[in-house]
mmCIF file of all heavy atoms in Angstrom:
data_model
loop_
_atom_site.group_PDB
_atom_site.id
_atom_site.type_symbol
_atom_site.label_atom_id
_atom_site.label_comp_id
_atom_site.label_asym_id
_atom_site.label_seq_id
_atom_site.Cartn_x
_atom_site.Cartn_y
_atom_site.Cartn_z
ATOM 1 N N ARG A 83 20.735 -0.602 10.818
ATOM 2 C CA ARG A 83 19.742 0.420 11.158
ATOM 3 C C ARG A 83 20.391 1.604 11.855
ATOM 4 O O ARG A 83 19.982 2.732 11.685
ATOM 5 C CB ARG A 83 18.674 -0.178 12.060
ATOM 6 C CG ARG A 83 17.408 -0.479 11.329
ATOM 7 C CD ARG A 83 16.175 -0.479 12.178
ATOM 8 N NE ARG A 83 16.330 -0.866 13.540
ATOM 9 C CZ ARG A 83 16.172 -2.112 13.990
ATOM 10 N NH1 ARG A 83 15.878 -3.075 13.162
ATOM 11 N NH2 ARG A 83 16.296 -2.366 15.262
ATOM 12 N N ARG A 86 21.982 3.626 9.184
ATOM 13 C CA ARG A 86 20.951 4.304 8.404
ATOM 14 C C ARG A 86 20.383 5.506 9.148
ATOM 15 O O ARG A 86 20.171 6.550 8.589
ATOM 16 C CB ARG A 86 19.794 3.343 8.123
ATOM 17 C CG ARG A 86 20.008 2.431 6.941
ATOM 18 C CD ARG A 86 18.791 1.553 6.829
ATOM 19 N NE ARG A 86 18.889 0.584 5.758
ATOM 20 C CZ ARG A 86 18.089 -0.467 5.680
ATOM 21 N NH1 ARG A 86 17.180 -0.676 6.607
ATOM 22 N NH2 ARG A 86 18.203 -1.311 4.670
ATOM 23 N N GLY A 87 20.118 5.301 10.415
ATOM 24 C CA GLY A 87 19.474 6.389 11.146
ATOM 25 C C GLY A 87 20.458 7.475 11.550
ATOM 26 O O GLY A 87 20.092 8.628 11.674
ATOM 27 N N LEU A 92 19.640 9.326 3.404
ATOM 28 C CA LEU A 92 19.309 9.323 1.986
ATOM 29 C C LEU A 92 18.263 10.394 1.738
ATOM 30 O O LEU A 92 17.250 10.463 2.424
ATOM 31 C CB LEU A 92 18.737 7.957 1.595
ATOM 32 C CG LEU A 92 18.190 7.852 0.182
ATOM 33 C CD1 LEU A 92 19.322 7.695 -0.806
ATOM 34 C CD2 LEU A 92 17.229 6.689 0.064
ATOM 35 N N GLN A 95 14.876 10.429 -4.356
ATOM 36 C CA GLN A 95 14.322 11.112 -5.520
ATOM 37 C C GLN A 95 12.817 11.086 -5.377
ATOM 38 O O GLN A 95 12.261 10.285 -4.654
ATOM 39 C CB GLN A 95 14.785 10.448 -6.813
ATOM 40 C CG GLN A 95 14.533 8.964 -6.909
ATOM 41 C CD GLN A 95 14.857 8.453 -8.296
ATOM 42 O OE1 GLN A 95 14.156 8.777 -9.247
ATOM 43 N NE2 GLN A 95 15.904 7.671 -8.430
ATOM 44 N N ASN A 96 12.146 11.971 -6.055
ATOM 45 C CA ASN A 96 10.687 12.043 -6.002
ATOM 46 C C ASN A 96 10.163 12.258 -4.579
ATOM 47 O O ASN A 96 9.635 11.353 -3.953
ATOM 48 C CB ASN A 96 10.110 10.760 -6.602
ATOM 49 C CG ASN A 96 8.605 10.770 -6.629
ATOM 50 O OD1 ASN A 96 7.981 11.814 -6.427
ATOM 51 N ND2 ASN A 96 8.018 9.618 -6.848
ATOM 52 N N GLY A 99 6.730 10.938 -3.553
ATOM 53 C CA GLY A 99 6.527 9.534 -3.204
ATOM 54 C C GLY A 99 7.173 9.160 -1.886
ATOM 55 O O GLY A 99 6.802 8.181 -1.263
ATOM 56 N N ALA A 100 8.122 9.959 -1.461
ATOM 57 C CA ALA A 100 8.870 9.601 -0.262
ATOM 58 C C ALA A 100 8.133 9.999 1.012
ATOM 59 O O ALA A 100 8.490 9.563 2.092
ATOM 60 C CB ALA A 100 10.246 10.258 -0.287
ATOM 61 N N ASN A 102 4.821 9.882 3.286
ATOM 62 C CA ASN A 102 3.653 9.033 3.458
ATOM 63 C C ASN A 102 2.389 9.892 3.414
ATOM 64 O O ASN A 102 2.231 10.803 4.214
ATOM 65 C CB ASN A 102 3.766 8.307 4.800
ATOM 66 C CG ASN A 102 2.760 7.204 4.921
ATOM 67 O OD1 ASN A 102 1.673 7.274 4.357
ATOM 68 N ND2 ASN A 102 3.101 6.169 5.655
ATOM 69 N N PRO A 103 1.478 9.604 2.473
ATOM 70 C CA PRO A 103 0.327 10.489 2.273
ATOM 71 C C PRO A 103 -0.645 10.542 3.448
ATOM 72 O O PRO A 103 -1.384 11.501 3.570
ATOM 73 C CB PRO A 103 -0.362 9.911 1.034
ATOM 74 C CG PRO A 103 0.108 8.507 0.940
ATOM 75 C CD PRO A 103 1.491 8.507 1.503
ATOM 76 N N VAL A 104 -0.658 9.523 4.304
ATOM 77 C CA VAL A 104 -1.680 9.514 5.351
ATOM 78 C C VAL A 104 -1.143 9.958 6.719
ATOM 79 O O VAL A 104 -1.859 9.906 7.698
ATOM 80 C CB VAL A 104 -2.348 8.136 5.495
ATOM 81 C CG1 VAL A 104 -2.981 7.709 4.192
ATOM 82 C CG2 VAL A 104 -1.376 7.098 5.971
ATOM 83 N N GLN A 110 6.343 12.652 10.530
ATOM 84 C CA GLN A 110 7.377 12.139 9.636
ATOM 85 C C GLN A 110 8.719 12.811 9.881
ATOM 86 O O GLN A 110 9.767 12.250 9.572
ATOM 87 C CB GLN A 110 6.937 12.310 8.173
ATOM 88 C CG GLN A 110 5.632 11.595 7.909
ATOM 89 C CD GLN A 110 5.314 11.448 6.436
ATOM 90 O OE1 GLN A 110 6.154 11.036 5.658
ATOM 91 N NE2 GLN A 110 4.108 11.789 6.056
ATOM 92 N N GLU A 113 9.984 11.297 13.579
ATOM 93 C CA GLU A 113 10.455 9.920 13.698
ATOM 94 C C GLU A 113 11.929 9.781 13.344
ATOM 95 O O GLU A 113 12.556 8.778 13.679
ATOM 96 C CB GLU A 113 9.596 8.982 12.857
ATOM 97 C CG GLU A 113 9.717 9.191 11.371
ATOM 98 C CD GLU A 113 8.759 8.305 10.617
ATOM 99 O OE1 GLU A 113 7.985 7.580 11.252
ATOM 100 O OE2 GLU A 113 8.778 8.332 9.378
ATOM 101 N N GLU A 116 13.529 9.515 16.602
ATOM 102 C CA GLU A 116 13.035 8.467 17.468
ATOM 103 C C GLU A 116 14.061 7.396 17.797
ATOM 104 O O GLU A 116 14.253 7.048 18.965
ATOM 105 C CB GLU A 116 11.861 7.783 16.767
ATOM 106 C CG GLU A 116 10.614 7.782 17.575
ATOM 107 C CD GLU A 116 9.460 7.401 16.701
ATOM 108 O OE1 GLU A 116 9.464 6.271 16.190
ATOM 109 O OE2 GLU A 116 8.554 8.237 16.514
ATOM 110 N N GLU A 117 14.709 6.885 16.783
ATOM 111 C CA GLU A 117 15.586 5.735 16.991
ATOM 112 C C GLU A 117 16.959 6.136 17.516
ATOM 113 O O GLU A 117 17.835 5.320 17.677
ATOM 114 C CB GLU A 117 15.747 4.954 15.696
ATOM 115 C CG GLU A 117 14.460 4.330 15.213
ATOM 116 C CD GLU A 117 13.811 3.493 16.292
ATOM 117 O OE1 GLU A 117 14.505 2.638 16.866
ATOM 118 O OE2 GLU A 117 12.621 3.705 16.577
ATOM 119 N N TYR A 148 -0.774 17.789 5.832
ATOM 120 C CA TYR A 148 -0.410 16.522 5.209
ATOM 121 C C TYR A 148 0.422 16.806 3.960
ATOM 122 O O TYR A 148 0.312 17.885 3.380
ATOM 123 C CB TYR A 148 -1.671 15.752 4.818
ATOM 124 C CG TYR A 148 -2.400 15.169 5.995
ATOM 125 C CD1 TYR A 148 -3.473 15.833 6.572
ATOM 126 C CD2 TYR A 148 -2.000 13.955 6.536
ATOM 127 C CE1 TYR A 148 -4.145 15.295 7.654
ATOM 128 C CE2 TYR A 148 -2.654 13.421 7.615
ATOM 129 C CZ TYR A 148 -3.728 14.086 8.178
ATOM 130 O OH TYR A 148 -4.367 13.550 9.256
ATOM 131 N N GLU B 200 7.717 4.142 -2.225
ATOM 132 C CA GLU B 200 8.942 4.882 -1.910
ATOM 133 C C GLU B 200 9.001 5.351 -0.465
ATOM 134 O O GLU B 200 10.072 5.397 0.131
ATOM 135 C CB GLU B 200 9.056 6.099 -2.827
ATOM 136 C CG GLU B 200 9.966 5.861 -4.003
ATOM 137 C CD GLU B 200 10.006 7.077 -4.880
ATOM 138 O OE1 GLU B 200 10.686 8.032 -4.507
ATOM 139 O OE2 GLU B 200 9.355 7.078 -5.943
ATOM 140 N N TYR B 201 7.838 5.698 0.110
ATOM 141 C CA TYR B 201 7.907 6.210 1.482
ATOM 142 C C TYR B 201 8.301 5.121 2.462
ATOM 143 O O TYR B 201 8.801 5.412 3.542
ATOM 144 C CB TYR B 201 6.603 6.901 1.904
ATOM 145 C CG TYR B 201 5.345 6.143 1.663
ATOM 146 C CD1 TYR B 201 4.964 5.102 2.503
ATOM 147 C CD2 TYR B 201 4.521 6.465 0.607
ATOM 148 C CE1 TYR B 201 3.794 4.426 2.280
ATOM 149 C CE2 TYR B 201 3.355 5.781 0.370
ATOM 150 C CZ TYR B 201 2.989 4.764 1.213
ATOM 151 O OH TYR B 201 1.835 4.075 0.982
ATOM 152 N N PHE B 204 12.024 5.192 2.246
ATOM 153 C CA PHE B 204 12.529 6.359 2.961
ATOM 154 C C PHE B 204 12.473 6.107 4.464
ATOM 155 O O PHE B 204 13.390 6.487 5.199
ATOM 156 C CB PHE B 204 11.719 7.598 2.576
ATOM 157 C CG PHE B 204 12.309 8.888 3.061
ATOM 158 C CD1 PHE B 204 13.683 9.079 3.082
ATOM 159 C CD2 PHE B 204 11.491 9.917 3.483
ATOM 160 C CE1 PHE B 204 14.223 10.274 3.511
ATOM 161 C CE2 PHE B 204 12.022 11.119 3.920
ATOM 162 C CZ PHE B 204 13.391 11.301 3.935
ATOM 163 N N LYS B 206 12.754 3.264 5.887
ATOM 164 C CA LYS B 206 13.895 2.385 6.184
ATOM 165 C C LYS B 206 15.173 3.197 6.252
ATOM 166 O O LYS B 206 16.010 2.980 7.123
ATOM 167 C CB LYS B 206 14.041 1.335 5.073
ATOM 168 C CG LYS B 206 13.198 0.105 5.270
ATOM 169 C CD LYS B 206 13.585 -0.927 4.214
ATOM 170 C CE LYS B 206 12.453 -1.892 3.979
ATOM 171 N NZ LYS B 206 12.588 -2.579 2.683
ATOM 172 N N ALA B 207 15.307 4.139 5.306
ATOM 173 C CA ALA B 207 16.516 4.952 5.284
ATOM 174 C C ALA B 207 16.621 5.812 6.532
ATOM 175 O O ALA B 207 17.704 6.205 6.940
ATOM 176 C CB ALA B 207 16.535 5.837 4.041
ATOM 177 N N LYS B 208 15.472 6.107 7.145
ATOM 178 C CA LYS B 208 15.486 6.880 8.392
ATOM 179 C C LYS B 208 15.955 6.030 9.560
ATOM 180 O O LYS B 208 16.129 6.531 10.661
ATOM 181 C CB LYS B 208 14.087 7.396 8.708
ATOM 182 C CG LYS B 208 13.627 8.592 7.893
ATOM 183 C CD LYS B 208 12.196 8.935 8.278
ATOM 184 C CE LYS B 208 11.648 10.081 7.472
ATOM 185 N NZ LYS B 208 10.196 10.238 7.710
ATOM 186 N N GLY B 209 16.077 4.721 9.322
ATOM 187 C CA GLY B 209 16.566 3.838 10.377
ATOM 188 C C GLY B 209 15.477 3.291 11.275
ATOM 189 O O GLY B 209 15.755 2.835 12.369
ATOM 190 N N LEU B 210 14.230 3.337 10.827
ATOM 191 C CA LEU B 210 13.142 2.804 11.654
ATOM 192 C C LEU B 210 13.161 1.276 11.622
ATOM 193 O O LEU B 210 13.466 0.675 10.605
ATOM 194 C CB LEU B 210 11.791 3.285 11.131
ATOM 195 C CG LEU B 210 11.503 4.774 11.217
ATOM 196 C CD1 LEU B 210 10.106 5.058 10.697
ATOM 197 C CD2 LEU B 210 11.621 5.266 12.641
ATOM 198 N N PRO B 211 12.818 0.634 12.754
ATOM 199 C CA PRO B 211 12.730 -0.827 12.759
ATOM 200 C C PRO B 211 11.488 -1.300 11.994
ATOM 201 O O PRO B 211 10.529 -0.545 11.817
ATOM 202 C CB PRO B 211 12.606 -1.174 14.241
ATOM 203 C CG PRO B 211 12.114 0.067 14.894
ATOM 204 C CD PRO B 211 12.592 1.217 14.072
ATOM 205 N N LYS B 214 7.865 -0.794 13.253
ATOM 206 C CA LYS B 214 7.349 0.576 13.176
ATOM 207 C C LYS B 214 6.983 0.936 11.745
ATOM 208 O O LYS B 214 6.019 1.651 11.502
ATOM 209 C CB LYS B 214 8.391 1.562 13.700
ATOM 210 C CG LYS B 214 8.237 1.829 15.175
ATOM 211 C CD LYS B 214 9.125 2.971 15.623
ATOM 212 C CE LYS B 214 9.042 3.089 17.134
ATOM 213 N NZ LYS B 214 10.148 3.861 17.686
ATOM 214 N N ARG B 218 3.172 1.809 11.452
ATOM 215 C CA ARG B 218 2.904 3.232 11.288
ATOM 216 C C ARG B 218 2.746 3.621 9.827
ATOM 217 O O ARG B 218 1.813 4.305 9.456
ATOM 218 C CB ARG B 218 4.038 4.039 11.913
ATOM 219 C CG ARG B 218 3.847 5.532 11.763
ATOM 220 C CD ARG B 218 5.028 6.276 12.318
ATOM 221 N NE ARG B 218 5.205 6.006 13.737
ATOM 222 C CZ ARG B 218 6.336 6.295 14.382
ATOM 223 N NH1 ARG B 218 7.351 6.821 13.736
ATOM 224 N NH2 ARG B 218 6.451 6.045 15.662
ATOM 225 N N HIS B 219 3.682 3.158 8.996
ATOM 226 C CA HIS B 219 3.667 3.649 7.619
ATOM 227 C C HIS B 219 2.815 2.800 6.683
ATOM 228 O O HIS B 219 2.108 3.316 5.834
ATOM 229 C CB HIS B 219 5.097 3.719 7.074
ATOM 230 C CG HIS B 219 5.846 4.896 7.571
ATOM 231 N ND1 HIS B 219 5.804 6.110 6.960
ATOM 232 C CD2 HIS B 219 6.638 5.050 8.649
ATOM 233 C CE1 HIS B 219 6.560 6.967 7.628
ATOM 234 N NE2 HIS B 219 7.072 6.348 8.663
ATOM 235 N N LYS B 222 -1.781 1.806 7.665
ATOM 236 C CA LYS B 222 -2.865 2.751 7.391
ATOM 237 C C LYS B 222 -3.126 2.853 5.881
ATOM 238 O O LYS B 222 -4.265 2.920 5.447
ATOM 239 C CB LYS B 222 -2.474 4.126 7.941
ATOM 240 C CG LYS B 222 -3.608 4.818 8.676
ATOM 241 C CD LYS B 222 -3.095 6.084 9.328
ATOM 242 C CE LYS B 222 -4.226 7.063 9.550
ATOM 243 N NZ LYS B 222 -3.751 8.395 9.899
ATOM 244 N N ASN B 223 -2.044 2.854 5.123
ATOM 245 C CA ASN B 223 -2.202 2.932 3.678
ATOM 246 C C ASN B 223 -2.782 1.648 3.118
ATOM 247 O O ASN B 223 -3.610 1.671 2.211
ATOM 248 C CB ASN B 223 -0.852 3.194 3.013
ATOM 249 C CG ASN B 223 -0.449 4.643 3.115
ATOM 250 O OD1 ASN B 223 -1.048 5.486 2.495
ATOM 251 N ND2 ASN B 223 0.543 4.920 3.931
ATOM 252 N N PRO B 298 -6.356 11.376 4.460
ATOM 253 C CA PRO B 298 -6.591 12.826 4.474
ATOM 254 C C PRO B 298 -6.847 13.384 3.075
ATOM 255 O O PRO B 298 -7.450 14.437 2.948
ATOM 256 C CB PRO B 298 -5.290 13.383 5.060
ATOM 257 C CG PRO B 298 -4.274 12.330 4.857
ATOM 258 C CD PRO B 298 -5.008 11.032 4.906
#
Side-chain angles (χ1 to χ4, degrees):
Chain A
R83 257 206 329 267
R86 277 179 182 164
L92 173 78
Q95 54 172 291
N96 182 13
N102 192 330
V104 302
Q110 302 194 48
E113 67 185 3
E116 236 166 63
E117 295 307 309
Y148 287 96
Chain B
E200 262 179 77
Y201 50 77
F204 191 37
K206 274 188 204 160
K208 283 177 182 171
L210 294 182
K214 269 189 186 162
R218 179 184 299 164
H219 282 273
K222 224 173 156 193
N223 281 291

